[in-house]
Amino acid sequence: MAFALIVGLGATVPATADTPYPFRDPTLPVGKRVDDLLGRLTLDEKISLLHQYEPAIPRLGIQSFRTGTEALHGVAWLGKATVFPQAIGLASTWDPALMEQVGSAVGDEARGFQQQRPDGWGLNLWAPVVNLLRDPRWGRNEEGYSEDPELTGALSTAYGEGLTGGDPDHLKTAPTLKHYLAYNNEVDRATTSSDLRPRVEKEYDEAAFKPAIAADAATGVMTSYNLVNGRPATVNPDLDAVVRKWTGQDLLNVTDAFAPGNIVTPQQYYPTIAEGDAAALKAGVDSFTDNSADPGPTTSAINSALQQGLLKVSDIDKAASDILSVRVRLGEFDPGGGKYGSIDASVIDSPAHRQLARKAAAEGTVLLKKSVSLPLKTTQKNVAVVGPLADTLYTDWYSGTLPYAVTPAQGIAAKLKAPVATSEGVDRIALRDTITGKYVTAGTGDTGTPLQETANTPTTAAQFDAFDWGSGIVTLRSAANGKYVGYNWSNFVNDQTQPNGWYVQQQFKLEQQDDGTYLLKYAGYETAESWWSNPVYLGPTDANGTLGLVPKDQAAHYTKDVVRNGIDDAVTAVKGKDTAVVVIGSMPSINGREAHDRTDLSLAPSQEALVKAVHQANPKTIVIVENSYPTTLGAVQKEVPALLWTSHAGQETGNALADVLYGDVNPSGRLTQTWYRSDADLPSILDYDIIKSDRTYQYFQGTPLYPFGYGLSYTTFRYGTLKPVAGGYEVPVTNTGTRAGDEVVQLYTHQRTSRDKEPLKQLKAFQRVSLKPGETKTVRLKLTQQDLAHWDVTRSKWVVESGTYDVMAGASSADIRSRTTWQVHGETIPPRNLSRTTRAENFDDYSAVHLVDESKASGTAVGAAADGAWLKFADTQLGAGARTFTARVAGTATGTIEVRLGSPTGKLAGTVHTAATSSSYDYETVTADLSGAAKGRTDVYLVLSNGLRISTFTVR
């Protein structure tokens, strides 16, 4: 046995060096190489490829392969690497060219680790996230791009092209789109079902995923945790039936972590892992992310499925082929590791990537409100930068490790070449047990010590900075060593540099009692888990006063001594200054993160109070909101003269903010979501029907705090006349101000009349344009007639209706500067013909129903959630008269379907009585005679009994 070095992939593995296998010949087509390699593998070796951790195959010189390196806004979890702004911040640039540059840099850095191959490394990257941000309360808002599919599709395609290198046959990395499909809630995410009526599915959710796949800017999708129309996304047949039809390339589809096991528990969809894995494989999953690094349960389940006849060897071959296609294109079997095999660690956090990170952070900053003081002057050096985020940078769950950190205060000081006054504006407190008289103390070393009640006086060891993050949650940072207090499953120790971890065990609540004392409550995320049974209050648990978890009736009652008032300290810092900059916002792991949705949209109360006090002390106040999502902002938006938003923008946050504040960069970021005024503007987070519930800027009827696409500049722009040209529209844009700047020109359409409910506005194209003072450029925006299509549920096809369409160009969805009309000669949707078999899911309106799985393998039916549930089938032509209603129904109880005309309570044309079936998947055909009233052109309603399922029907 000889040994060969696989150059560029960092491992020496045994190989038959003298055998010129065709799969190692880069001159051959990808398909021939895959077929050759597949033909050399044993069945066991093929099955071994189906788990996230694919083992080496030494006899062929093949090394191990792992799917799933996180690369959302930089390479994560592998060590220090360039940390770009959060995805929501990158998207706020509205700059596909920049997104591609960032993607390319991230792809280079992923390759940069290939010589060392640290744990967790691989070239199959799990990014970008293209789930639409339809609800700003979603815990993972920071990971997505926009509430709009056009913008999301354009930006994800650009980022993906950077990651892939732009050559689908020679991949720099293999990006995977997350998470397919309709995943926007963390509450009960593995057991809730996202109801997607066909129009929402086609026009909205699928529309975000298709562009990158169709452009070969992504090599597959990850299935989501949730169910879609009653079926776990892990076994969604659309993985093959829809997604793979968007491209001619082989796709590598993966499951989310532990999702295969969820099929058995808690989803209870299949009784065994073998049945669940078999169903997933047949639906279009290729790689199973389950049981961490242990492939045993997966390979055993696949083998069991083969033995039971649930799978064929051809099913294994198909999935293995998809995986090997990506591995071949990554250059794994090419001499020297292929096109990108020479990239080494020198690219990681390179000077060019630092500059790119700074540019991205600046370009993604959104000016929400401006005053004459902006941009600031560097000659005015007497500046204070205050607030809980003034002199720190936080990272999020999918962030890389910061190679360095430039905080807002540091960035402004560097810009001024002068020191700035700072204050975090948070209270420093001491907690004294009213029974023992002792203060809670922490350790002084870097590793801290378990908290104890030991001190008789509030010494430094007994002092904690209490950061208020809203919803009652505080974090406690020890003054003794600057570390945060967290729970380690045994004790409470001051040893964390920031709140972190899956359960974020640095969260507390100070609950004030009627007597003015406080109970200290532990609020780590695991306390919300169903398996948590421990008490959650703190109190001494031994003779040494060591704090532990105790029942509420045994909790210590503390006085909260304010050693230093945070607001007073900040006010002192800003008084008399030329400028006061207040940096407020969120801690990315708290009140909104994977597995935890936000409960409200507001700022933390103490932060709002801080801004008010600082502004009263210094009218020249500028507020920076640094967070990962839209915020209602309360009085802050009304009262302060200047307001900016940034995401948690990575290592260059401070420099980028200083560039914007002092005018080296003219702000050009634009909001990618609607910012609502109140939580009351939103329906349930579990309501996925944006059309019926009037969600997102497309359908929202109210007045937002800030509209989709909004963002100000230090200059002004004038739009000329919008005119049609070949392939789209053009509009001249002039910089009418005194500063160079970028405008983001946005093109929207509105269909004036339609058979169906249409968006109020819908983004169809956008373009950034850079203009010098007084300069005019003509901006061309692509728009074709096919871009006006919507999904016709009467015929299950895309349709462009004849009629008048408004075409609008502007600076946001609410700031239209130029408009015209387009007389479109398309088609007229004919009246419904219910004499043909009609799928019940293709209704026009509904009440009290859920979309459900017709069978476990495929299809969508409609299930009634209450007696009197109804479906509307509008504009139906019944002709001279329909005589019979026939339906395919299932249900475990007897019931009825009433056929009514005109309304849910309109004229009764007929009633069908249904018997109980053996299961919800056991359908039977039922019929009923219809009265003579069932004729002409009318709306037909089906009124259903609770628990009844209907898949198809006819009215003849």
Side-chain angles (χ1 to χ4, degrees), residues 148-185:
D148 181 77
E150 172 69 28
L151 180 58
T152 296
L155 297 179
S156 59
T157 299
Y159 190 68
E161 286 176 342
L163 292 174
T164 64
D167 178 354
D169 289 332
H170 297 87
L171 298 169
K172 183 190 297 184
T173 65
T176 302
L177 304 182
K178 301 199 294 188
H179 311 77
Y180 194 84
L181 184 69
Y183 167 40
N184 278 135
N185 62 275

Side-chain angles (χ1 to χ4, degrees), residues 757-811:
K757 181 178 179 179
E758 290 297 321
L760 303 172
K761 290 189 185 76
Q762 194 168 16
L763 182 72
K764 294 298 182 180
F766 64 94
Q767 185 176 318
R768 290 179 67 96
V769 56
S770 298
L771 295 167
K772 299 173 185 176
E775 184 180 12
T776 298
K777 289 183 179 178
T778 298
V779 178
R780 289 203 168 192
L781 298 153
K782 182 182 176 183
L783 183 68
T784 67
Q785 183 166 306
Q786 190 56 36
D787 295 328
L788 304 175
H790 76 273
W791 189 254
D792 173 20
V793 295
T794 72
R795 296 172 294 173
S796 294
K797 59 176 278 189
W798 292 99
V799 61
V800 178
E801 291 181 281
S802 296
T804 302
Y805 292 72
D806 295 307
V807 183
M808 301 160 279

Side-chain angles (χ1 to χ4, degrees), residues 538-614:
L538 274 66
T541 56
D542 60 25
N544 296 323
T546 303
L547 293 189
L549 294 172
V550 298
K552 185 174 183 179
D553 60 2
Q554 297 175 27
H557 285 247
Y558 294 107
T559 60
K560 184 178 73 171
D561 300 346
V562 179
V563 179
R564 183 188 65 211
N565 183 286
I567 289 179
D568 290 347
D569 190 64
V571 166
T572 299
V574 304
K575 278 185 175 178
K577 297 297 190 292
D578 296 329
T579 307
V581 179
V582 189
V583 191
I584 56 174
S586 69
M587 197 285 133
S589 290
I590 294 174
N591 292 335
R593 206 208 78 168
E594 182 173 359
H596 298 277
D597 294 316
R598 298 163 70 196
T599 56
D600 63 67
L601 300 177
S602 60
L603 278 175
S606 67
Q607 293 188 19
E608 193 165 336
L610 172 67
V611 171
K612 183 175 182 179
V614 168

Side-chain angles (χ1 to χ4, degrees), residues 374-395:
L374 285 175
L376 301 174
K377 298 178 175 62
T378 55
T379 54
Q380 296 179 324
K381 299 182 181 294
N382 194 15
V383 172
V385 186
V386 301
L389 286 92
D391 204 21
T392 190
L393 294 186
Y394 291 121
T395 54

Side-chain angles (χ1 to χ4, degrees), residues 732-916:
V733 180
T734 304
N735 183 341
T736 54
T738 59
R739 288 180 170 272
D742 284 10
E743 173 69 324
V744 179
V745 182
Q746 303 162 41
L747 189 73
Y748 296 88
T749 62
H750 168 66
Q751 185 174 344
R752 289 189 179 180
T753 59
S754 173
R755 176 197 182 279
D756 302 308
K757 181 178 179 179
E758 290 297 321
L760 303 172
K761 290 189 185 76
Q762 194 168 16
L763 182 72
K764 294 298 182 180
F766 64 94
Q767 185 176 318
R768 290 179 67 96
V769 56
S770 298
L771 295 167
K772 299 173 185 176
E775 184 180 12
T776 298
K777 289 183 179 178
T778 298
V779 178
R780 289 203 168 192
L781 298 153
K782 182 182 176 183
L783 183 68
T784 67
Q785 183 166 306
Q786 190 56 36
D787 295 328
L788 304 175
H790 76 273
W791 189 254
D792 173 20
V793 295
T794 72
R795 296 172 294 173
S796 294
K797 59 176 278 189
W798 292 99
V799 61
V800 178
E801 291 181 281
S802 296
T804 302
Y805 292 72
D806 295 307
V807 183
M808 301 160 279
S812 80
S813 60
D815 185 6
I816 301 302
R817 307 287 185 86
S818 186
R819 66 174 64 224
T820 187
T821 58
W822 184 2
Q823 297 299 321
V824 172
H825 301 289
E827 61 178 301
T828 299
I829 298 174
R832 277 189 183 268
N833 180 1
L834 297 184
S835 68
R836 295 194 295 256
T837 299
T838 299
R839 297 205 62 83
E841 66 179 308
N842 286 324
F843 50 73
D844 290 291
D845 199 2
Y846 62 95
S847 175
V849 301
H850 289 299
L851 292 165
V852 296
D853 49 339
E854 182 176 7
S855 74
K856 289 192 174 183
S858 63
T860 297
V862 178
D867 287 335
W870 54 261
L871 302 174
K872 176 183 179 181
F873 297 87
D875 191 25
T876 295
Q877 180 57 265
L878 297 177
R883 298 179 178 276
T884 306
F885 171 75
T886 304
R888 292 282 293 167
V889 299
T892 56
T894 60
T896 61
I897 302 175
E898 296 177 345
V899 181
R900 291 186 177 270
L901 307 176
S903 78
T905 57
K907 186 171 292 186
L908 179 64
T911 302
V912 64
H913 295 271
T914 66

